[in-house]
Amino acid sequence: MTTEVTARPDDHVLTTDSARRTTQHLLERVEHHLRDFLTAENDLWTAVDSRATVPVAAVADLIDSGGKRLRPAFCVMGYLAAGGEADAPGVVPAAAALEMLHACALIHDDVMDASGQRRGAPTVHVKHSAKHRDKAWQGEERRFGESVAILAGDLALVYSDQLMAEAPSAVVPVWSELRAELIIGQYMDVAAAAEFAVDPELSRWIALAKSGRYTIHRPLVVGATLAGSTALGTAFEEYGATVGEAFQLRDDLLGAFGNSAETGKPAGLDFTQHKMTLLLGWAMQRDERVHDLVTTPGHDPGEVRDLLLGTGVPDDVERHIAGLVERGRAALDDAPMDQVWRDELGAMALRVAYRKA
């Protein structure tokens, strides 16, 4: 049944405080669900062989390391904004599945980017390459570490499906679309880095597919679907597309100019990996020296940053982010939801677009 009215099922007036308490309560349940699920998996495989828990531990370590939990948050908020009941069972495992899928993407992304650090700790492939070296095992340490990471990421993908299977089946179409979109977006990112040709529109599409949609738009739709509503689809699509692009552009700026102590990732990695971000694409349109410098082996990331600043593109990106946030918030103006959720999602747009890490 489609729900078109988003009022609360009781007679109490919805306030900002009560909305935030309900959201926080559900997100705490998501954390418990993830922890209990991974503990059960660890116990299951410990009974087989202690070594069988290695990929499980790799996933659990990443989940336990924190993160922004944006995908569960947008799922929960989409669910509540669409009139979902806080004590209904489906939204918690669905939100947990989104975070587990994110763990899969991060572990694999770190291999593809040859990144040595994630959230201030060694990445999975780096950690297990070092273990192979320390143990003086047979074979190639790099191949071993990357193999462990690939398998751990695959396991997180399997786990995400197991968790989503606990939610009502109505969510299957959007869940399938979300996962396929993420993987195709990741491939296009790899291909664009290899070609390293200026194509701002492709860069924008990649950012939307591999980040914006799966971070914001699709989780909102997952939540609304679980609440039985289709009324917010158009608003969530526009909000998710614009705020999602702003999210990725902030990520690009942090990758270029952020403090690695705050971001938990190596600074300048996008330059080293030739990531064709919109930031770089715009800069290369203005100054061909950007392309030449980034593709020079052993280039100095500081020199690239100085050249980018000289093009004026970072300031233009900041203005573009501001415009995207304004459009995203405006998309909610006429959406059939309580004003409290309009305000909360508006605040989330600012949070993701202007974050420091």
Side-chain angles (χ1 to χ4, degrees), residues 6-322:
T6 60
R8 284 170 63 83
D10 53 38
D11 296 327
H12 299 295
V13 175
L14 181 64
T15 66
T16 298
D17 285 346
S18 63
R20 289 179 180 175
R21 282 197 302 270
T22 302
T23 301
Q24 185 58 37
H25 174 66
L26 284 171
L27 290 175
E28 288 171 358
R29 287 174 58 193
V30 171
E31 292 299 313
H32 287 301
H33 201 71
L34 285 166
R35 188 179 306 116
D36 291 347
F37 179 91
L38 289 167
T39 297
E41 282 296 301
N42 183 75
D43 292 345
L44 172 67
W45 294 108
T46 297
V48 175
D49 189 297
S50 62
R51 291 167 295 187
T53 64
V54 167
V56 182
V59 175
D61 286 347
L62 183 59
I63 293 288
D64 289 344
S65 70
K68 293 175 280 294
R69 299 295 197 258
L70 291 178
R71 293 146 198 88
F74 278 114
C75 178
V76 165
M77 293 176 75
Y79 173 78
L80 294 172
E85 298 183 12
D87 57 354
V91 70
V92 169
L98 286 162
E99 188 62 27
M100 191 66 76
L101 178 65
H102 185 48
C104 160
L106 293 181
I107 293 170
H108 284 169
D109 203 42
D110 287 338
V111 174
M112 291 185 284
D113 290 347
S115 179
Q117 192 178 59
R118 169 70 65 180
R119 295 175 183 167
T123 51
V124 175
H125 67 282
V126 167
K127 175 181 177 179
H128 288 278
S129 292
K131 180 178 180 180
H132 183 284
R133 182 174 61 253
D134 293 343
K135 297 286 187 180
W137 286 341
Q138 299 299 307
E140 184 184 347
E141 64 185 57
R142 175 175 173 270
R143 183 177 293 275
F144 177 81
E146 291 182 349
S147 297
V148 173
I150 290 168
L151 293 169
D154 288 349
L155 187 62
L157 181 61
V158 171
Y159 285 166
S160 71
D161 274 344
Q162 287 181 239
L163 289 163
M164 192 60 81
E166 299 175 34
S169 60
V171 80
V172 169
V174 66
W175 176 239
S176 299
E177 191 170 14
L178 182 158
R179 288 176 299 153
E181 198 169 55
L182 168 62
I183 292 170
I184 295 298
Q186 288 280 42
Y187 164 73
M188 293 298 289
D189 190 37
V190 170
E195 296 169 7
F196 207 58
V198 178
D199 190 342
E201 285 308 307
L202 177 60
S203 297
R204 181 175 284 114
W205 184 88
I206 291 170
L208 188 60
K210 72 181 282 282
S211 184
R213 284 179 182 156
Y214 117 95
T215 299
I216 301 175
H217 175 211
R218 302 299 184 197
L220 285 169
V221 175
V222 167
T225 301
L226 291 171
S229 174
T230 59
L232 296 173
T234 300
F236 281 170
E237 183 172 6
E238 174 66 11
Y239 173 91
T242 51
V243 178
E245 185 178 347
F247 170 84
Q248 183 58 49
L249 287 172
R250 177 60 57 197
D251 207 50
D252 295 343
L253 287 170
L254 288 171
F257 301 103
N259 184 334
S260 60
E262 294 179 351
T263 64
K265 297 183 289 185
L269 188 63
D270 285 351
F271 306 150
T272 305
Q273 297 300 318
H274 302 154
K275 292 288 184 178
M276 184 43 69
T277 64
L278 191 59
L279 172 68
L280 277 178
W282 281 354
M284 286 191 292
Q285 283 182 322
R286 295 186 187 181
D287 190 336
E288 63 183 17
R289 292 179 300 167
V290 175
H291 178 281
D292 295 339
L293 183 56
V294 171
T295 55
T296 299
H299 66 259
D300 177 9
E303 191 176 354
V304 178
R305 283 189 283 270
D306 290 342
L307 193 53
L308 287 175
L309 290 170
T311 67
V313 165
D315 289 339
D316 289 344
V317 170
E318 288 287 2
R319 283 189 287 270
H320 188 52
I321 287 173

Side-chain angles (χ1 to χ4, degrees), residues 312-352:
V313 165
D315 289 339
D316 289 344
V317 170
E318 288 287 2
R319 283 189 287 270
H320 188 52
I321 287 173
L324 288 166
V325 170
E326 184 177 351
R327 282 171 51 198
R329 297 177 68 171
L332 304 176
D333 286 348
D334 298 321
M337 67 174 74
D338 193 292
Q339 181 62 40
V340 167
W341 294 115
R342 201 172 285 118
D343 293 341
E344 288 299 287
L345 286 168
M348 280 291 284
L350 293 172
R351 175 186 166 190
V352 302

